[in-house]
Amino acid sequence: MSLDIDSALQLRRNQSLTSIIRHELEQMIERGELSAGERLNENALAARLGVSRGPIREACRGLEQSGLVNVVVNRGVFIRALDGREAAELYEIRAALYGLAGRLLAPIVTDEQVAILSGYVAEMDAAMAAGDLNSFYPGNLRFHEAIVEFGGNGRLAAECAAIHREMHLLRRRTLDMPGRMTTSNDEHRAILERIAARDAVGAEAALEEHVLISRSALFGPLGHYPDT
Amino acid sequence: MSLDIDSALQLRRNQSLTSIIRHELEQMIERGELSAGERLNENALAARLGVSRGPIREACRGLEQSGLVNVVVNRGVFIRALDGREAAELYEIRAALYGLAGRLLAPIVTDEQVAILSGYVAEMDAAMAAGDLNSFYPGNLRFHEAIVEFGGNGRLAAECAAIHREMHLLRRRTLDMPGRMTTSNDEHRAILERIAARDAVGAEAALEEHVLISRSALFGPLGHYPDT
DNA sequence: GGATCTTAAACTGTTGACAATCAGCAAAAG
DNA sequence: CTTTTGCTGATTGTCAACAGTTTAAGATCC
């Protein structure tokens, strides 16, 4: 019984099975338990989670709209596989959105928020010193989340989170590359510096560049992508 | 050799009731037949469309994820009402995305594409001369759609279309304001000029400004939004 | 008359069953 | 030996019924 759906049911107050299942599936995709291209068997999922197929189908429609799965009529839902072109496109969009987040945040950032962001960078420095990717990754995630949260545009934060979920499989691969951790944290420091200086244009540029460098780490310096 | 997902996607026919209903509901919202805050009655919809509640519920889950409706547990799905804050946030995101589209398009635009965009501007000029909003609006839509399409980032185009759908009720209101048509087309001409000059930075700036001016028309020059 | 409790209707959440469709396999045809 | 055809089990699409919740009207009490 790898899945604690029962405890989720106990915690459930005003949530429907559909939303619980959707959240569960999102996490399974994020944890890599469901790999790209894999098909979701509605009956098996229903049996495993102890519910009927209705809520599962509803959850899958939500996942489809948020880009995590593909639904093929009469054949089922498949964990979406990001090909090179789509991933490159997502990186471009992500760069623009994070750039916007930085531009919004820089003029209004508080000293407390700067301190929090500094804390994340320090966390990542520590993880880097220990060569520990598993510690580096959450710090990295919180750093970016905080920037969009503090920016004050809630919808932008939601949109960035959605894109992040969608790119999850790719992103880990990128950060896994040797030397990527240190480079990445240098960039984080530069971003933080521009934000702390209340430099909107500089923060925007630093964040855009940061995302595009991640893309380069995946596709090569020219932004090429595999033709698959 | 078994079919893989890609070929399955090619075989896909969007003929499930769920997708048909979702499309139908999207159009009803776009046409204003369903007004903001209104509740969707599953039984009534099922009877009217001649289907059972299952596909309708699935369609609503997709609509929820794309931001067109809110789902409240045990109370139903409601056509989403964009309050001032959310609309302002969407405008900011839209400005960034259209800016990106312009930056992508300018370096790679073909003469044929410039001609097509010119045609749309001319269409809008004609509509403007006739004072005909109903002709101006589709031209405006096609102009913006074409820019993101020609930019070559398919996902960006999809994302812009989704935001457009979500803002549909608001946008019409904006364009309805006296004098907005002419101002708007002057901006279109400026955008086109920067694109035709293959000026990425200029096109980006012109498109961003264009969207933010639309926002100002709705919220006032300082970007304030009603506190509802 | 107004507020509160009671109760029934309406509605949503969930389920199990039935129908339609698909992948795989085996036998028949060339 | 290869291709085609026709099954068969598995899986998805859809539906109708049941269960739990919300809403609203009516009754009761102050």
Side-chain angles (χ1 to χ4, degrees), chain A residues 38-167:
Chain A
E38 193 175 338
R39 191 179 115 261
L40 289 182
N41 186 317
E42 293 180 1
N43 280 316
L45 256 179
R48 180 169 164 198
L49 300 179
V51 299
S52 71
R53 283 172 50 220
I56 287 181
R57 286 179 61 84
E58 290 181 21
C60 286
R61 296 311 155 132
L63 263 51
E64 176 189 24
Q65 200 62 31
S66 58
L68 266 59
V69 302
N70 278 327
V71 175
V72 184
V73 183
N74 281 323
R75 299 211 27 213
V77 313
F78 300 83
I79 306 299
R80 183 140 168 266
L82 275 191
D83 67 17
R85 163 173 282 276
E86 288 171 310
E89 291 181 355
L90 267 187
Y91 267 104
E92 280 179 343
I93 295 172
R94 209 164 90 92
L97 293 184
Y98 272 111
L100 171 61
R103 200 204 316 166
L104 292 177
L105 175 57
I108 64 169
V109 70
T110 67
D111 292 338
E112 288 81 10
Q113 290 169 339
V114 171
I116 293 175
L117 292 174
S118 276
Y120 292 147
V121 172
E123 261 183 48
M124 285 186 277
D125 272 333
M128 190 187 69
D132 182 6
L133 177 65
N134 287 334
S135 298
F136 185 85
Y137 192 74
N140 186 40
L141 174 58
R142 279 203 296 266
F143 180 76
H144 290 93
E145 271 182 354
I147 287 178
V148 292
E149 293 288 343
F150 295 161
N153 185 325
R155 180 55 181 266
L156 177 61
E159 217 67 52
C160 286
I163 290 184
H164 173 74
R165 263 196 302 277
E166 199 168 336
M167 297 205 319

Side-chain angles (χ1 to χ4, degrees), chain B residues 39-41 43 53 57 74:
Chain B
R39 190 180 119 258
L40 290 181
N41 186 318
N43 279 316
R53 285 173 49 218
R57 287 179 60 85
N74 280 323

Side-chain angles (χ1 to χ4, degrees), chain B residues 117-137:
Chain B
L117 292 173
S118 275
Y120 292 147
V121 172
E123 261 183 48
M124 286 185 275
D125 271 334
M128 190 186 69
D132 182 6
L133 178 64
N134 287 334
S135 299
F136 186 85
Y137 192 73

Side-chain angles (χ1 to χ4, degrees), chain A residues 65 90 93 97 155 159 162-163 166, chain B residues 93-94 97 153-166:
Chain A
Q65 200 62 31
L90 267 187
I93 295 172
L97 293 184
R155 180 55 181 266
E159 217 67 52
I163 290 184
E166 199 168 336
Chain B
I93 295 172
R94 208 165 91 90
L97 293 184
N153 185 325
R155 180 55 180 267
L156 177 61
E159 216 67 51
C160 286
I163 289 183
H164 173 74
R165 261 197 302 277
E166 198 169 338

Side-chain angles (χ1 to χ4, degrees), chain B residues 67-90:
Chain B
L68 265 58
V69 303
N70 277 327
V71 175
V72 183
V73 188
N74 280 323
R75 297 203 37 207
V77 313
F78 300 83
I79 306 299
R80 182 138 168 266
L82 274 190
D83 67 17
R85 164 172 281 277
E86 288 171 309
E89 290 181 356
L90 267 187

Side-chain angles (χ1 to χ4, degrees), chain B residues 24-97:
Chain B
E24 195 64 36
L25 288 174
E26 282 176 1
Q27 289 200 325
M28 287 168 78
I29 294 174
E30 203 163 314
R31 286 195 299 259
E33 296 175 25
L34 299 172
S35 48
E38 193 176 337
R39 190 180 119 258
L40 290 181
N41 186 318
E42 293 180 1
N43 279 316
L45 258 178
R48 180 172 158 197
L49 299 178
V51 299
S52 72
R53 285 173 49 218
I56 288 181
R57 287 179 60 85
E58 290 181 21
C60 286
R61 261 34 200 233
L63 261 53
E64 177 190 23
Q65 200 61 33
S66 58
L68 265 58
V69 303
N70 277 327
V71 175
V72 183
V73 188
N74 280 323
R75 297 203 37 207
V77 313
F78 300 83
I79 306 299
R80 182 138 168 266
L82 274 190
D83 67 17
R85 164 172 281 277
E86 288 171 309
E89 290 181 356
L90 267 187
Y91 267 104
E92 280 179 343
I93 295 172
R94 208 165 91 90
L97 293 184

